[in-house]
Amino acid sequence: MVLNQLPEWHALEQRRDALDGQHLRELFAADPDRFAQFSLRHENILLDYSKNRVDAATMEALRALAGACDLEGWIARMFAGEAINLTEGRAVLHVALRNRANTSILVDGEDVMPGVNSVLARMRDFVARVHDGNWTGFTGASIRDVVNIGIGGSDLGPVMVTEALKAYRQANINVHFVSNVDAAHLHETLAGLDPARTLFIVASKTFTTQETMANARAARAWLLQTLGDEAAVARHFVALSTNAAAVGDFGIDAANMFEFWDWVGGRYSLWSAIGLSIALALGMDRFEELLDGAHAMDRHFREAPLEGNLPVTLALLGIWHVNFLGAESQAVVPYAQNLHRLPAYLQQADMESNGKSATRDGDFVAWDTGPVIWGEPGTNGQHAFFQLLHQGSRLVPVDFIVAANSTYPNDAQHEMLLANCLAQSAALMTGKTGDEARAEMAAAGLDASEIERLLPHRTYRGNQPSNTLLVETLDPRTLGALIALYEHKIFCQGIIWQVCSYDQWGVELGKQLAGQLLPRVRGETADGTVDASTAGLLAQLRHWRG
Ligand code: G6Q
């Protein structure tokens, strides 16, 4: 099936031509019910997608494309535990990790739920012991600082969630994250920490990732420098992994390993044992509320018809922007300071999943796939890159995310935040016409020639599409649902684009190449087979390193 030769694809090209030249302002003027028609709710999440260049026929045509791609069949296959990670021959079952209904889910004939529940129970027990001081370090002191060492999927989700839910954090415990192999990250994190009261979590699905292992070894050396005895490692190191043998080789006791499984993709793993840092930061009850929210979104995704389905709708709008309106990127702008790592998290989730150009059948795609994801919190972004959104030459769809209620006491500032968020999406949609700009400048007393000179600079085309995700409060359950919403959006787009969303051969390439170059950086191997640029850089850096 060639996607861009489907009749449903051609129908969408016709919708694009039919809507061409119509401004969002006109679409709103023509239909007073536009918000009601183009908004959806799931629990306390409202998706307003009315500020997109779509009409009812376009949405219908997008759903027809989803039908032609058998989207609903693929959703069923994922939830049934089929090996839809085609290039690695694995099931894709992050939904099992938060399957709060506890219905059985089979992988190769075996129910995965008893294993999921048992790890959750072990996490609960461990978190309680750390929090109540019963888990002590080697000297008998209780734990005050937890350092999660991991990278990529073993870091970005936990960092994003613990930051997002800072308002719910557990007293008396500080959770830190070290990911970069740059020694600065570990060094600066450990500065001021007391080894006797520090617990390291080594989070690595494979337990072979170069950066994580280097940081874990350095952390162990730092610990032993003070505590002296190798036996201290058992009290200060736990592992989150699928690789029990490598965990043992590192010297971490099997009793201190929290396992997960190969059907959990790295960037979809925050719901697994990889979330231990989240549970330590917030408490296990909060972590389970996160799972509850995600599970509620899973059910919605699985059960709601396409036209009322939030992840499907968000995905189809993205397809519309990328494949029919030519958008190359997607901005994510949370009006929530604590969501400051959400764009980075979504960058990985989306770009590592759908940044592909081979189809499931192994052909080269003849259509665009995943966009560049980027963003920063508002209102900060307004004082920076919003210039390009308002007056640049590119189409950049924006997802605005904002909570009606703050989790902090200063409500007057929250009102300002809300007003800014609503103002920006409205301004991007309506823009400012030449006549409006002229009238404004005339009112400010500018003379006619000055007005005409400035006019091109002071008009705003508008017509920039955006979604607004308005939530009641950014609490653990809501955040869980929000993350699951994006996960499923990414899934739907991968199915339609026909890419394998659950592998990451591009990332594997980096892991391979760094391994080959390390001996050359160390000067242990002659430069030989490297290209001239790499050889030149190696020569200079060796010179400067003496
Ligand atoms: C995620 C990717 C990648 C991975 C890291 C860390 O989907 O596969 O970001 O999470 O490379 O891998 P380990 O957890 O195996 O250390």
Side-chain angles (χ1 to χ4, degrees):
M1 181 181 81
V2 182
L3 180 64
N4 60 357
Q5 286 173 20
L6 290 172
E8 289 80 1
W9 186 275
H10 294 313
L12 281 160
E13 289 170 335
Q14 283 164 13
R15 290 313 309 149
R16 175 193 55 208
D17 296 344
L19 283 170
D20 194 32
Q22 282 202 56
H23 197 286
L24 274 169
R25 218 174 16 225
E26 294 158 6
L27 294 176
F28 270 90
D31 180 6
D33 284 336
R34 194 170 165 82
F35 172 79
Q37 199 184 356
F38 299 116
S39 59
L40 290 172
R41 253 191 73 182
H42 162 72
E43 294 191 350
N44 52 3
I45 299 180
L46 168 75
L47 166 64
D48 170 21
Y49 64 99
S50 59
K51 295 192 194 88
N52 284 288
R53 299 182 200 168
V54 291
D55 58 8
T58 305
M59 291 310 299
E60 196 52 53
L62 284 164
R63 288 191 287 268
L65 180 69
C69 296
D70 190 27
L71 178 61
E72 286 169 294
W74 281 99
I75 295 173
R77 264 166 243 155
M78 172 171 73
F79 278 92
E82 281 186 33
I84 62 162
N85 174 349
L86 300 173
T87 60
E88 296 177 319
R90 292 172 183 166
V92 173
L93 275 180
H94 40 282
V95 294
L97 301 166
R98 59 217 192 192
N99 174 22
R100 314 297 287 161
N102 204 22
T103 45
S104 56
I105 298 180
L106 304 182
V107 172
D108 299 329
E110 197 185 325
D111 187 3
V112 299
M113 289 315 296
V116 168
N117 293 329
S118 130
V119 172
L120 282 172
R122 286 189 57 223
M123 286 169 71
R124 176 170 283 281
D125 175 64
F126 180 73
V127 168
R129 284 197 288 151
V130 171
H131 285 169
D132 63 22
N134 283 327
W135 176 282
T136 54
F138 187 61
T139 66
S142 59
I143 299 300
R144 189 184 55 198
D145 291 282
V146 173
V147 181
N148 186 86
I149 298 177
I151 195 165
S154 300
D155 169 73
L156 284 160
V159 173
M160 184 272 285
V161 171
T162 47
E163 283 295 298
L165 298 175
K166 253 180 184 164
Y168 299 85
R169 68 175 165 254
Q170 190 80 18
N172 305 329
I173 198 109
N174 306 309
V175 178
H176 315 264
F177 292 88
V178 172
S179 51
N180 203 326
V181 77
D182 182 345
H185 206 175
L186 185 70
H187 186 86
E188 294 297 344
T189 305
L190 296 185
L193 299 197
D194 175 1
R197 301 193 65 188
T198 300
L199 175 77
F200 291 98
I201 301 177
V202 185
S204 176
K205 180 173 169 180
T206 54
F207 230 74
T208 56
T209 303
Q210 196 188 59
E211 295 94 323
T212 299
M213 291 302 114
N215 275 322
R217 283 191 298 271
R220 185 172 56 186
W222 174 83
L223 183 91
L224 294 179
Q225 218 169 38
T226 313
L227 300 185
D229 195 331
E230 281 280 339
V233 172
R235 302 303 304 166
H236 292 270
F237 274 81
V238 299
L240 320 174
S241 190
T242 58
N243 186 350
V247 168
D249 289 347
F250 184 85
I252 297 179
D253 200 330
N256 296 344
M257 168 175 151
F258 297 84
E259 68 164 333
F260 59 110
W261 306 272
D262 71 357
W263 41 262
V264 182
R267 54 195 171 277
Y268 297 89
S269 65
L270 71 89
W271 323 98
S272 70
I274 290 291
L276 186 67
S277 52
I278 303 173
L280 284 164
L282 310 175
M284 196 63 191
D285 287 349
R286 299 301 192 196
F287 182 67
E288 291 196 348
E289 284 165 29
L290 190 81
L291 302 185
D292 291 341
H295 177 60
M297 182 56 77
D298 294 343
R299 292 192 57 171
H300 164 82
F301 178 51
R302 200 178 175 181
E303 293 163 12
L306 296 188
E307 63 270 23
N309 198 305
L310 270 80
V312 170
T313 303
L314 217 47
L316 293 176
L317 290 163
I319 299 277
W320 177 243
H321 293 142
V322 168
N323 300 111
F324 299 94
L325 302 185
E328 291 184 334
S329 79
Q330 163 76 57
V332 179
V333 184
Y335 274 68
Q337 183 55 33
N338 287 353
L339 284 177
H340 68 112
R341 293 301 286 163
L342 183 71
Y345 167 79
L346 289 177
Q347 239 163 25
Q348 183 195 27
D350 202 314
M351 292 164 76
E352 206 175 345
S353 297
N354 290 338
K356 317 261 164 85
S357 48
T359 67
R360 291 190 291 264
D361 293 333
D363 298 320
F364 193 85
V365 286
W367 47 87
D368 280 324
T369 58
V372 175
I373 307 290
W374 62 285
E376 276 287 320
T379 57
N380 299 18
Q382 286 173 216
H383 300 266
F385 58 82
F386 268 58
Q387 168 60 38
L388 181 146
L389 300 180
H390 285 294
Q391 290 187 306
S393 59
R394 296 167 194 279
L395 176 85
V396 184
V398 185
D399 279 1
F400 289 95
I401 303 170
V402 69
N405 299 294
S406 175
T407 28
Y408 293 88
N410 192 336
D411 200 48
Q413 283 188 218
H414 197 69
E415 286 165 353
M416 290 164 77
L417 185 77
L418 286 165
N420 272 282
C421 181
L422 299 189
Q424 286 300 317
S425 68
L428 286 170
M429 184 265 278
T430 51
K432 191 181 283 176
T433 63
D435 285 348
E436 287 165 345
R438 259 193 207 96
E440 210 177 77
M441 287 188 278
L446 272 69
D447 66 40
S449 67
E450 191 64 353
I451 289 176
E452 289 314 310
R453 191 178 72 80
L454 290 177
L455 196 61
H457 307 282
R458 298 193 58 170
T459 50
Y460 302 77
R461 279 195 318 280
N463 212 22
Q464 286 280 22
S466 70
N467 295 306
T468 298
L469 282 157
L470 172 65
V471 306
E472 191 176 345
T473 308
L474 189 63
D475 56 25
R477 183 181 174 95
T478 305
L479 182 67
L482 202 59
I483 302 168
L485 166 61
Y486 274 103
E487 285 180 345
H488 295 321
K489 168 205 159 162
I490 293 163
F491 167 88
C492 294
Q493 294 184 331
I495 294 302
I496 293 172
W497 285 323
Q498 300 178 9
V499 296
C500 295
S501 299
Y502 298 99
D503 60 23
Q504 54 283 317
W505 297 105
V507 171
E508 309 301 335
L509 176 69
K511 292 188 179 185
Q512 221 177 8
L513 294 181
Q516 288 167 10
L517 274 176
L518 186 58
R520 292 183 164 91
V521 170
R522 288 177 177 151
E524 294 166 0
T525 317
D527 295 343
T529 54
V530 298
D531 61 80
S533 164
T534 309
L537 292 166
L538 281 167
Q540 187 63 53
L541 72 84
R542 282 204 298 260
H543 174 70
W544 276 334
R545 287 167 62 79

